[in-house]
Amino acid sequence: MRAIEPAQTVDITSVATLDAGVETAPKPDVRTVTFKSLALGRAMPYSIYLPPGYAPSKRVYPVLYMLHGMSGTNDEWREYGIFDAADRMIRSGEIRPLIIVLPQGDRAYWVDHALPTDQEAWGRYMAKDVVADVDERYRTVADLAHRAIGGVSMGAHGAVQLALNYPDTFSIVGAHSLVLRRFDTAPSYFGSQSDWSKRDPMQLVVAKPAMAKRLRLWIDIGKDDPWAKLAEQFNGELDTLGITHQWHEWSGDHSASYWCHHLADYLHYYDTALALENGAGFGAAVRLS
């Protein structure tokens, strides 16, 4: 594990900037990083939250990666308030300190594209390039047991398929308002039906049940969400396959108000899952002044 602080390393391919702060109540330490992705061959941004106490300590931290939806950017979860919620919950001792990363995924579904004219490797970019850059820059616990990945809508699809297609990277998955695409509604870059099946969560758990059983998996969706029917089918499929998971179908639809309302639920889940995965070995929750 290596740690290179952004304030100490600035070069032409990788620049980190601190967000402007306001001298009032404690404000989350949020930074914007741009780095060169080898998989995509261009510079890509991500936003990162560092927990209270990060700067003066030598402590290492688990990492939560949260993926945006089709119409979002790497600021989507920030706009829902995830950094503010995490900072407040860490300071009050509700959850343990962790790093949160929001990558940029465009409208690419977080999959490696499978067309002769489109071979952009968005899956490899996320699971390999983003993770490697975060582990190099920041004091992370650089192993799959200390990495969680979640997402909303398109990002929920991405979180599940990435955990299954890159099994050495993530051990904990959260799929919030999960969107599942059948072959006839999938973007063209999913490729042929054979290619699509290697990118579709419903096909992947059938093809890789043992791998899926090793994951800690959460799925939630609103009862009025237009994607609820397929998510319900996926829940039933997981039950049939004997894949342990958490399933929550709450009131609400596919909207920002639903996701904002459940931020604390999500953060409690990731905190508990990381603690269970590691025997609470990354540090107990404590109140920070």
Side-chain angles (χ1 to χ4, degrees):
M1 179 177 57
R2 303 175 303 282
I4 303 176
E5 301 301 325
Q8 299 169 335
T9 302
V10 179
D11 58 42
I12 60 172
T13 61
S14 187
V15 179
T17 58
L18 277 174
D19 287 0
V22 180
E23 308 241 349
T24 54
K27 184 175 180 180
D29 184 353
V30 179
R31 310 179 183 201
T32 301
V33 176
T34 301
F35 78 106
K36 179 66 176 293
S37 165
L38 296 178
L40 297 178
R42 61 179 181 271
M44 294 296 296
Y46 61 82
S47 301
I48 185 165
Y49 161 80
L50 302 176
Y54 179 91
S57 76
K58 295 182 180 180
R59 182 177 178 178
V60 292
Y61 298 87
V63 186
L64 167 61
Y65 294 85
M66 292 294 277
L67 310 183
H68 64 74
M70 177 69 83
S71 60
T73 70
N74 61 296
D75 278 329
E76 181 174 10
W77 280 104
R78 182 180 185 181
E79 291 166 358
Y80 298 151
I82 194 168
F83 293 156
D84 291 319
D87 204 64
R88 180 176 64 254
M89 293 169 74
I90 291 169
R91 290 181 185 279
S92 69
E94 288 184 62
I95 63 172
R96 300 160 183 82
L98 79 169
I99 292 170
I100 302 175
V101 179
L102 310 183
Q104 174 62 33
D106 292 1
R107 299 171 67 86
Y109 253 88
W110 308 97
V111 299
D112 293 336
H113 293 187
L115 291 176
T117 56
D118 182 358
Q119 294 284 311
E120 289 197 323
W122 286 90
R124 189 165 75 249
Y125 147 76
M126 175 57 237
K128 299 297 184 182
D129 294 355
V130 175
V131 170
D133 195 76
V134 171
D135 284 345
E136 183 177 5
R137 277 175 189 282
Y138 298 97
R139 296 196 310 277
T140 67
V141 187
D143 60 42
L144 81 163
H146 293 86
R147 291 194 201 102
I149 186 168
V152 61
S153 191
M154 175 188 84
H157 180 291
V160 178
Q161 71 85 13
L162 285 169
L164 290 166
N165 281 325
Y166 294 88
D168 295 330
T169 306
F170 308 104
S171 62
I172 296 160
V173 185
H176 312 302
S177 298
L178 175 63
V179 168
L180 293 164
R181 295 277 186 177
R182 302 303 80 213
F183 177 63
D184 60 348
T185 65
S188 61
Y189 52 70
F190 275 61
S192 67
Q193 189 155 5
S194 174
D195 294 324
W196 164 79
S197 68
K198 298 172 184 175
R199 292 155 175 78
D200 172 56
M202 296 182 78
Q203 303 298 310
L204 283 168
V205 295
V206 173
K208 305 177 180 183
M211 191 178 298
K213 288 177 181 179
R214 294 199 298 267
L215 296 173
R216 297 187 186 274
L217 174 60
W218 159 300
I219 305 167
D220 72 89
I221 199 158
K223 292 179 180 177
D224 297 322
D225 192 312
W227 298 97
K229 185 176 180 180
L230 276 173
E232 290 164 358
Q233 290 180 22
F234 188 45
N235 173 51
E237 180 181 51
L238 294 169
D239 284 340
T240 299
L241 292 168
I243 297 170
T244 302
H245 62 289
Q246 291 192 47
W247 165 258
H248 303 275
E249 190 165 5
W250 289 317
S251 62
D253 54 12
H254 201 87
S255 67
S257 60
Y258 173 89
W259 304 315
C260 292
H261 182 72
H262 291 290
L263 281 177
D265 296 312
Y266 300 158
L267 289 167
H268 277 300
Y269 159 67
Y270 292 115
D271 174 65
T272 300
L274 284 163
L276 290 171
E277 192 72 12
N278 298 281
F282 60 88
V286 294
R287 181 180 297 274
L288 298 173
S289 57

